[in-house]
Every structure is written in C-alpha cells, then in structure tokens.
Amino acid sequence: MEDYFEMMEKSIPRTGVRTRFAPSPTGYMHIGNLRTALYAYLIARRSGGTFILRIEDTDQARFVGDAEDVIRKTLAECGLNYDEGPDVGGPAGPYVQSQRKDIYRRYADLLIEKGSAYRCFCTQEELSARKAGSLQGYDGHCSRLSAEEIGEKLDRGVPHVVRQRIPKTGSTTFHDAVFGEITTPNADLDDNVLLKSDGMPTYNFANVVDDHLMGITHVVRGTEYLSSTPKYNLLYSAFGWSVPEYIHCPPVMRDAQHKLSKRAGDPTFDDLISAGYLVPAVLNYVALLGWSPGGEQEIFSLKQMEEIFDISGISRSPAIFDINKLTWFNSEYIRAMTPEEFSRAAGPYIAGAVKNPALDVKKIAALVQGRCQVLSDIPGRVDFFGELGEYSPELYVNKKMKTDRAIALEALKWSRDALLELRDWSEESIKDTLLSLAASRGVKNGVVMWPVRVAVSGKEATPGGATELCDILGREESLRRIDRGIELLGGK
C-alpha cells in the first residue's frame, strides 16, 4: 500500500495556483453555481494558474442524466475554459469521482490504519435509536468495538460504512479568506460517513482526497460548507496534508429572506439565455453578486475581470439577485455591440417573428438595437414586418400631429399616389418623396409620415419611422398596406 500512496503523491501537481469547479450533476446551472465557477476561474487566471473541472457524482440517487453535459456546455458558452477535466484530461484526470472509487477506498483504509476512521456496522434502525440519545447525532458506538468484534462481523460479511473518528476534546480552527479565523469545538462535530456501504465515497471525503491529489491550492465554495470545514481539516491533519486556502462565498438571494430557487421560479443560467439575455452581460452581473472591484466602473469583459479580480473584494454579505439590474446590464451590452454582432444575435428572433426570408434581417436589426433591453423584446417589436394584423382606425388620430381620421385618409391617398410614381425604392428616395409631398400640400411632415407609419405597421409605436419601414417592406407590400389603410378609413 505504501508504494501506491507514494505513486499517488508523486503525481500531485506542485506549481502555481490551482482551483477547481466541482459541481454535482444533479440539475441545471444555477446562478450560485455559475458564480462559484467564475470566481474559481478568475482566481486561477489572475495568477496564471490552472482551472480544473471535477464532476462530483457520488450521490447517484440525485444524478440527472444530462446535467453533466449542461455543466460543460455552460462553461463553454461563458468562456470559462478549464485546463483539466472530464474531456481535457491531465496528470490525474479525467476527473469524475464515480470513476475513482478505488482511490477513495485505499485512502479510507489508510485512515483506519491510522486510527482516524473506523468501520460502522449499525443498521438504519440502530442509527435512529442511537442518534435519538445523542446531542451530536451518532454516538460513536462502533468506534468502541474490539478488533475481535470487527473481525467477526467482517467474516460474516456484515455491511458497513467507514466513519471519521472525530476527537471529542479540543477545537479545530481554520482561516477563511472572506470570514477570517473560525474555531469550532470538536465536541460539536459528528462522526460523519466517509465511505458508504456500496463503496461510494461521500462528498465530505471525496472532495478532500481529490483536492489534495489534484494539488488544489484555493477552494471556492458557498458558506453552507463553513460548518463542515473543521471535519475536512481534521482529515487533512490525519493524512498529514497541507490545507488549501478557503474562500467561502455568501449565498445569492432572491430577497432578504430567501435563497434563489428553481422551485420558486427563479431563473437558471439557461433560463436567462432563453429569455434573451446575453452571456457576457449575465457573466458580468454574476461577478458583481458579492464582489466589488472598487471604483465606479460596472461593465467588465471577462478578460478585464481576469486581470483585476481580487479575493479581497468578496463580500461577507449575501447578494440579492435583481432582474432589473441584470436587464440594465444587458441593455448596455446590446448598445455596445457592433451592428454585425447584434444582427447575428438578433437574427433568430427576427426570423422567428417575421417568417419572411425575403426581408433584410440586418436592416430590421439596425432598427431595434437601440430599442430593446433583452433579445426576447425583439419579436413583439418586429412581427408586423411578417404579417399586418388587425388594428383600429383610431390609431390614425394623433393630437400631436393634429391629425384625425379624415386628415389621415387624405394624407394616405396623397402618399399612395406619390409613391406609385416612385421607381427607385430606397429609404432615401421614399423620404424625399414624402417630405416633398408635405411641402407641396402645405402641411407639417408628421401629417404625412404618421398615417403612412400606422398603415404599414398597424402599430402606434414602431422601431423606425415610415420611410424606414417602407424601405424594408418593399414597394409592393408597402403600397398594399397603404391601400388597406385607405379602405379601413372608408376611402377607396
């Protein structure tokens, strides 16, 4: 066994900062999970270190079949490229815990030899009875079995787990980069299970062994693990291993009382992207949920965050997820996109709403880029390009333009006749024609433009004015819609 451990120890990477994102494949990527991955990634990149993906699938009862694919896909979409992991490999990879059962068993046996762990043969009924009479949970009954009693049970094949032997006196102290020094009396700690009866390790054991064997220097995780950290440190001490630096992050909350929860309808990463939020905007906002870079700047690219991220900026206070703030971030990112970038992002939303491949998606995108906060705003703003719905003739009444239905009817007739003569159908020529028409009739531009815009869109508010809409719709469709407007107003 010594040769085995010597071999494992020699394989441990010993240089630079090494962080890991170690999710359980039990669901989809929640905002808190994404933030943990992001912080671990940024700590590694800021120092030129290594970022690892480890799939902690030891809880097979909660395993979700496609969750691992979602994890990898999300990291890829966000640009959080890991250096070692299930599909990258590495000195000790691939890192999927269910494939490393033999490693954990050997280290559990070593702990038993050292007297820091013991075999527990208690049935569920016995455990319930013993926990009921103990303030600390399990009362450690099997830790007091003699070697003969243990041997006899093993000979009979009695199922057992392996438990950590927690000292009953003294205390355990550790330092956290966010919360400082924390001390816990050992008497408050339970002899938790390290290895289950089926040979599968618990999270409490596997993550300690793997963090050591993978040379993890900085452990980023949620504050829910603060109470378990003393147990982890006692394992490190039992093995004679050095302890990594801990960075425990407060939770992301829906409000002051409730954590984000998919069950309560709070969005996952995929939900946000499906709702039309941009990946860089989500990543930027998530980074600021509990971390302050200092100064007034709020908009940061991933590359900028890699350069400035500092652990000292992580707050001790829970962060409140504000969808309105995220929406503001998203609108800022949309406005900062080049026309080509926005057209690519908006294209599927426009095509799905318009369903007319003959229309120019780039021109439509140019109209809505400055008028939407999330990409899902687009369909409701551009659907009229595909099909003109029913609308009320009262839309033509505009007090600001000083138009009523009669004036609008006359203006539409003028516009139809003028546009019928137009051969060069472009936004510029349409605009020149309608402005000249208004001048020749001695009316304000809006008296002509407003009825045309209503006629071709059927809406009170549109992305773009009458001439831009007519240009995109084309000559035949624009004139057809103007004729329909004339009929709706009682004309011929």
Side-chain angles (χ1 to χ4, degrees):
M1 185 176 286
E2 290 302 324
D3 290 341
Y4 172 85
F5 292 117
E6 183 178 346
M7 178 270 293
M8 293 299 291
E9 297 296 315
K10 285 182 178 179
S11 71
I12 298 173
R14 299 292 183 182
T15 58
V17 169
R18 292 173 62 85
T19 67
R20 46 70 162 179
F21 177 49
S24 298
T26 56
Y28 296 100
M29 185 72 82
H30 297 280
I31 298 303
N33 296 138
L34 179 59
R35 187 186 65 172
T36 297
L38 176 60
Y39 286 3
Y41 170 87
L42 293 175
I43 290 169
R45 291 292 176 263
R46 172 73 188 277
S47 59
T50 301
F51 176 54
I52 292 170
L53 173 63
R54 185 172 74 222
I55 303 299
E56 299 196 336
D57 60 345
T58 58
D59 190 349
Q60 293 291 299
R62 297 175 60 220
F63 181 82
V64 175
D66 64 342
E68 184 177 332
D69 291 335
V70 170
I71 291 166
R72 299 191 201 187
K73 173 176 159 290
T74 302
L75 293 180
E77 288 181 5
C78 293
L80 306 183
N81 301 314
Y82 44 90
D83 306 298
E84 297 174 20
D87 49 6
V88 177
Y95 303 139
V96 180
Q97 286 186 333
S98 61
Q99 301 173 8
R100 297 163 60 82
K101 288 172 61 175
D102 183 60
I103 294 173
Y104 309 124
R105 180 182 60 78
R106 289 173 180 257
Y107 277 96
D109 289 344
L110 178 60
L111 279 181
I112 292 172
E113 288 183 15
K114 290 174 171 288
S116 296
Y118 59 91
R119 294 179 175 87
C120 176
F121 301 89
C122 293
T123 64
Q124 285 300 318
E125 293 76 13
E126 291 171 331
L127 286 175
S128 297
R130 296 187 186 287
K131 287 183 178 180
S134 172
L135 294 177
Q136 287 76 41
Y138 180 60
D139 65 359
H141 169 76
C142 288
S143 67
R144 299 183 290 273
L145 295 178
S146 67
E148 290 75 15
E149 290 174 304
I150 294 173
E152 185 270 332
K153 290 180 182 293
L154 291 176
D155 289 342
R156 289 195 293 114
V158 178
H160 67 277
V161 300
V162 175
R163 288 184 179 274
Q164 182 178 4
R165 191 189 299 273
I166 301 289
K168 301 309 175 188
T169 60
S171 60
T172 300
T173 299
F174 69 94
H175 178 81
D176 181 78
V178 178
F179 291 91
E181 192 171 276
I182 298 174
T183 298
T184 302
N186 292 334
D188 292 347
L189 306 176
D190 189 17
D191 286 2
N192 56 287
V193 175
L194 304 180
L195 215 61
K196 291 177 273 189
S197 58
D198 62 359
M200 191 69 78
T202 61
Y203 169 84
N204 290 325
F205 186 47
N207 92 90
V208 170
V209 173
D210 281 344
D211 281 348
H212 173 69
L213 294 182
M214 296 173 192
I216 301 303
T217 60
H218 294 68
V219 172
V220 183
R221 58 189 176 213
T223 50
E224 64 267 27
Y225 294 105
L226 276 172
S227 61
S228 299
T229 300
K231 299 179 183 180
Y232 305 153
N233 281 12
L234 288 170
L235 287 174
Y236 280 109
S237 177
F239 283 122
W241 297 339
S242 59
V243 175
E245 181 170 356
Y246 295 117
I247 303 100
H248 286 89
C249 303
V252 179
M253 310 287 286
R254 182 195 324 140
D255 52 43
Q257 287 78 38
H258 305 93
K259 290 184 180 181
L260 285 181
S261 169
K262 176 67 173 176
R263 292 181 181 179
D266 296 317
T268 65
F269 172 80
D270 280 345
D271 292 333
L272 292 173
I273 302 308
S274 297
Y277 290 89
L278 300 171
V279 171
V282 173
L283 209 59
N284 188 162
Y285 179 63
V286 167
L288 299 178
L289 287 174
W291 171 69
S292 173
E296 299 299 321
Q297 182 178 344
E298 291 186 286
I299 304 298
F300 296 95
S301 68
L302 180 59
K303 183 64 178 176
Q304 289 174 316
M305 288 189 281
E306 290 176 16
E307 295 171 353
I308 66 171
F309 187 83
D310 194 285
I311 296 170
S312 64
I314 298 176
S315 171
R316 294 186 177 191
S317 302
I320 304 296
F321 180 84
D322 183 348
I323 193 67
N324 294 322
K325 183 68 172 180
L326 172 59
T327 301
W328 175 83
F329 268 93
N330 205 71
S331 66
E332 292 295 303
Y333 270 83
I334 284 177
R335 283 156 182 70
M337 298 172 84
T338 66
E340 292 75 17
E341 289 171 338
F342 182 75
S343 181
R344 285 195 297 271
Y349 292 86
I350 294 172
V354 172
K355 296 182 175 65
N356 185 346
L359 298 184
D360 192 325
V361 170
K362 289 185 178 180
K363 285 186 176 181
I364 297 176
L367 293 184
V368 297
Q369 182 170 3
R371 296 176 172 88
C372 65
Q373 293 183 295
V374 293
L375 297 178
S376 55
D377 288 340
I378 294 172
R381 285 170 166 75
V382 305
D383 54 357
F384 68 88
F385 281 110
E387 183 176 351
L388 184 65
E390 298 295 328
Y391 66 94
S392 169
E394 293 304 311
L395 283 182
Y396 289 100
V397 178
N398 189 312
K399 293 182 179 179
K400 182 179 179 181
M401 303 297 178
K402 296 183 179 179
T403 64
D404 56 22
R405 293 173 60 168
I407 294 173
L409 175 59
E410 287 302 307
L412 283 182
K413 289 180 178 180
W414 301 337
S415 299
R416 177 193 58 189
D417 294 342
L419 292 174
L420 276 170
E421 302 298 321
L422 187 61
R423 293 292 174 260
D424 173 27
W425 195 268
S426 65
E427 197 275 327
E428 183 178 357
S429 60
I430 296 168
K431 183 176 183 180
D432 289 343
T433 297
L434 294 182
L435 291 179
S436 297
L437 173 63
S440 68
R441 294 288 181 172
V443 297
K444 291 183 178 181
N445 296 338
V447 173
V448 173
M449 296 292 190
W450 175 258
V452 172
R453 181 152 75 102
V454 172
V456 298
S457 69
K459 292 179 179 288
E460 184 175 10
T462 60
T467 59
E468 295 166 303
L469 304 186
C470 287
D471 174 44
I472 292 172
L473 287 167
R475 175 189 176 83
E476 182 179 343
E477 181 64 15
S478 296
L479 291 172
R480 187 185 72 80
R481 293 187 180 195
I482 290 173
D483 280 338
R484 180 178 170 184
I486 292 173
E487 292 177 5
L488 185 64
L489 290 170
K492 296 181 180 179

